[in-house]
Amino acid sequence: MSVFGYLMRTRIKNSLKAAIKNPAKIIATILIIALIVLMLVTGSHSEAGSFRDINELYAGIYALYYIMFLLTVMSGLKNGASFYSMADVNLLFAAPLKPVRVLIYGLIRQLGTTVLMAFFILFQYGWLANTYAIVPIDVFAILLGYALSVFCGQLLAIAIYSFSSGNEKRQRAIRTALYAVTVILVLALLIPSMTAENKIATIVARINEPFFSYFPIVGWLKAFTVGCIQGTFGTILASLAATFVFIIAFTCILSKANTDFYEDVLLATEISFSAITSKKEGRQVEMMPRNIKIGKTGIQKGQGANVFFYKHMLENRRSRLFILDTMSLIYLAVTLFFSLIMKEAGIIGVFFLSAYMMMFTSFLGRWVKELTMPYVYMVPANAFRKLIMICMETILKSVVESAMIFIIVGAVMKFSPIDILACIIARSGFAFLFIASNVLTERLFGNFPGKMIQLFFYFIVLIVIALPGIIAAIVLTGVYSFAVGLLALFAWNTLVSALILFLCRNIL
């Protein structure tokens, strides 16, 4: 393995050299490490006896691992998965090396990459420690379990793609089997809770039964994480042993059953390379379906600036069946789950949790892509109106998300209709604020090297802008009511966001 050892050493050395030559990367790395250390050191705990049932956390871990594992496998079923770069395709694939050694090299490299991608979990330590009394080592166990679930999903995706590539019947059968297993698991959780008085507690208790821990990968890794938190070394060893047997087994299957697996990972490698190259060049590339059905052509609606809104709605209709995309639905499910198990926080907790989750989808709207295209700059319309119109699709999506969250949660938790309506309106105002803060950050720091630095400035700008409205909402809630406070928050977010977009209109 000397060739691959040299590759790994050279890759690490070149990364360090590139970081030294790029001060922005050094600053970003220092800031991220400092924030993680600060989060782990200053994570506060509630008073003794006020912690929530930690079984809720175990159930949430199971759900997180299952969602990520399933999404990874489903994505690989379409385009395959890859542990390689285009440099590997040009050099390693053509070198006189055994495919199994190339496969093991890709596995080791991908495992390290997946662990780094899971570092966002560390930023959740503050509220997890305050709610469930976990310690820093516990959140590292959650991180490792998350990384292994994604890694095993990628490995299984390669094996499935290798087996079903070019065979539509096999792909349909595998997809149906995955959906069927998911439906069976969901029904196994929901049916016992139908007649229970406390439905959420019943679901949490059901998902923590030993039966679900036997489910491949997801159950094993959840058992590993629970074992780390509880300090049961037997569970840790058994879970890791089962996971590594899975990894070794599928590695052998790929290396023995299909020794020339290069072609199976080539498509996913090319797609990944195109996405990375587009990001470096400041472009955004939207994934398009392989089989395109030609229906109506042209936008056929709108005039002037509002044509961008109809364009985005048409793109949504052509790319999916509903206005909400997959990530929005996942955030919606997570928000609903945590809102229902944290009833003591009341409607205030539900509102701010949903707004917090929405912040991560504000970067994914079609308005971001539109700013990279030439058309919005060429249309002879008012710049401020154009900015508003390209953001309208994202705002409409936030209204639909808000209505779904608060109507469902409000009905279950018996919130008043006025409070539900106020939450829907106020959360939509936050969507406008997130977009305006993003535009302002781009206007002020768009030429600043390093995306992580820009992200850091974005959070600072967002806090400064949102703080006056939050303070006003707290004061008015104490004087009048919660609904009045939320409406004041909506008024502030809407006015200040419109002012920011007006002042930044020359970005077009």
Side-chain angles (χ1 to χ4, degrees):
M1 299 290 286
S2 59
V3 173
F4 302 105
Y6 169 77
L7 278 176
M8 297 295 288
R9 291 194 303 271
T10 304
R11 185 182 298 275
I12 294 172
K13 183 174 64 177
N14 289 341
S15 298
L16 293 175
K17 287 182 178 179
I20 293 173
K21 294 179 180 179
N22 192 336
K25 289 184 178 180
I26 297 177
I27 296 173
T29 303
I30 293 174
L31 287 174
I32 292 172
I33 294 175
L35 287 173
I36 292 175
V37 172
L38 181 65
M39 184 72 68
L40 295 177
V41 171
T42 61
S44 59
H45 290 279
S46 302
E47 296 179 2
S50 62
F51 298 113
R52 294 189 59 83
D53 183 6
I54 200 169
N55 286 312
E56 297 173 352
L57 176 61
Y58 299 157
I61 290 172
Y62 192 97
L64 173 65
Y65 291 175
Y66 187 86
I67 290 172
M68 295 310 302
F69 182 79
L70 180 64
L71 289 178
T72 305
V73 174
M74 292 299 294
S75 175
L77 186 60
K78 281 185 177 180
N79 302 315
S82 179
F83 299 150
Y84 306 98
S85 64
M86 287 304 295
D88 297 326
V89 171
N90 295 328
L91 300 175
L92 284 181
F93 287 13
L97 299 170
K98 291 183 179 180
V100 65
R101 297 177 69 186
V102 179
L103 175 59
I104 293 173
Y105 161 76
L107 291 173
I108 295 173
R109 177 186 163 193
Q110 184 63 26
L111 182 58
T113 303
T114 307
V115 171
L116 289 176
M117 290 174 59
F119 258 71
F120 76 92
I121 293 177
L122 296 180
F123 291 98
Q124 312 304 316
Y125 172 70
W127 73 270
L128 287 174
N130 191 50
T131 307
Y132 298 106
I134 66 172
V135 295
I137 192 66
D138 296 336
V139 80
F140 279 102
I142 299 173
L143 181 150
L144 181 57
Y146 174 90
L148 284 173
S149 66
V150 175
F151 174 76
C152 291
Q154 291 172 326
L155 181 60
L156 181 60
I158 293 178
I160 289 176
Y161 185 78
S162 177
F163 172 74
S164 62
S165 178
N167 191 322
E168 184 62 31
K169 289 184 178 180
R170 287 183 180 178
Q171 290 186 345
R172 191 182 301 113
I174 294 171
R175 191 179 298 110
T176 302
L178 290 172
Y179 285 135
V181 170
T182 302
V183 171
I184 291 172
L185 285 175
V186 172
L187 291 177
L189 292 173
L190 293 181
I191 290 176
S193 67
M194 294 298 181
T195 56
E197 183 177 350
N198 191 335
K199 293 180 173 53
I200 300 300
T202 304
I203 293 175
V204 168
R206 178 71 172 167
I207 205 172
N208 285 306
E209 291 180 358
F211 168 77
F212 286 92
S213 296
Y214 300 141
F215 192 85
I217 299 301
V218 178
W220 302 340
L221 291 175
K222 181 253 184 179
F224 159 76
T225 306
V226 173
C228 291
I229 295 175
Q230 295 179 345
T232 54
F233 295 103
T235 304
I236 296 173
L237 293 177
S239 304
L240 284 180
T243 303
F244 285 124
V245 166
F246 174 91
I247 294 173
I248 293 171
F250 274 89
T251 302
C252 293
I253 289 172
L254 285 174
S255 61
K256 298 296 183 182
N258 183 16
T259 54
D260 187 14
F261 62 91
Y262 295 148
E263 189 169 340
D264 293 328
V265 302
L266 186 59
L267 176 61
T269 305
E270 292 176 344
I271 292 173
S272 176
F273 177 76
S274 299
I276 293 172
T277 303
S278 299
K279 276 291 184 182
K280 289 181 177 178
E281 295 175 355
R283 298 182 289 110
Q284 290 196 353
V285 177
E286 185 176 0
M287 296 295 297
M288 299 298 293
R290 294 187 188 178
N291 301 320
I292 301 176
K293 296 180 180 179
I294 299 178
K296 294 182 180 179
T297 58
I299 300 176
Q300 300 179 347
K301 289 183 180 180
Q303 185 176 6
N306 63 4
V307 75
F308 292 104
F309 170 72
Y310 292 108
K311 170 178 175 286
H312 294 166
M313 297 303 294
L314 179 61
E315 290 171 343
N316 287 342
R317 182 175 62 82
R318 288 178 173 174
S319 62
R320 54 183 180 264
L321 298 177
F322 195 55
I323 189 172
L324 303 182
D325 54 22
T326 303
M327 290 306 300
S328 295
L329 292 175
I330 292 173
Y331 286 138
L332 175 62
V334 172
T335 304
L336 290 174
F337 176 77
F338 281 102
S339 299
L340 292 175
I341 67 174
M342 299 176 67
K343 289 186 177 181
E344 290 82 358
I347 193 169
I348 298 177
V350 176
F351 174 77
F352 283 105
L353 175 64
S354 64
Y356 172 75
M357 296 298 295
M358 182 178 58
M359 179 174 61
F360 297 100
T361 60
S362 63
F363 301 98
L364 307 177
R366 293 190 177 276
W367 70 274
V368 180
K369 179 184 176 182
E370 200 65 60
L371 288 176
T372 66
M373 306 294 287
Y375 314 113
V376 70
Y377 303 92
M378 298 170 61
V379 170
N382 181 272
F384 176 62
R385 181 172 171 79
K386 287 192 290 184
L387 269 179
I388 294 292
M389 285 297 111
I390 66 174
C391 299
M392 194 58 65
E393 178 265 343
T394 303
I395 296 173
L396 177 61
K397 182 171 70 172
S398 72
V399 174
V400 176
E401 287 180 358
S402 303
M404 291 181 66
I405 291 173
F406 291 107
I407 290 175
I408 295 174
V409 177
V412 173
M413 301 178 67
K414 297 180 174 57
F415 296 149
S416 69
I418 295 177
D419 286 343
I420 293 174
L421 181 61
C423 286
I424 295 173
I425 295 173
R427 189 176 184 272
S428 305
F430 264 111
F432 199 10
L433 180 67
F434 293 149
I435 294 172
S437 300
N438 207 329
V439 172
L440 179 60
T441 305
E442 183 67 24
R443 181 67 169 168
L444 296 177
F445 308 105
N447 295 324
F448 200 91
K451 289 295 181 183
M452 293 304 300
I453 299 296
Q454 292 185 31
L455 185 63
F456 178 74
F457 284 129
Y458 167 77
F459 284 113
I460 293 179
V461 169
L462 182 60
I463 291 171
V464 171
I465 296 174
L467 194 58
I470 295 174
I471 294 174
I474 293 173
V475 173
L476 291 176
T477 298
V479 176
Y480 296 103
S481 66
F482 178 67
V484 173
L486 284 187
L487 292 177
L489 182 60
F490 168 76
W492 167 262
N493 288 341
T494 303
L495 291 175
V496 74
S497 299
L499 178 61
I500 289 172
L501 291 184
F502 178 78
L503 295 177
C504 296
R505 64 191 184 279
N506 289 333
I507 197 172
L508 297 182

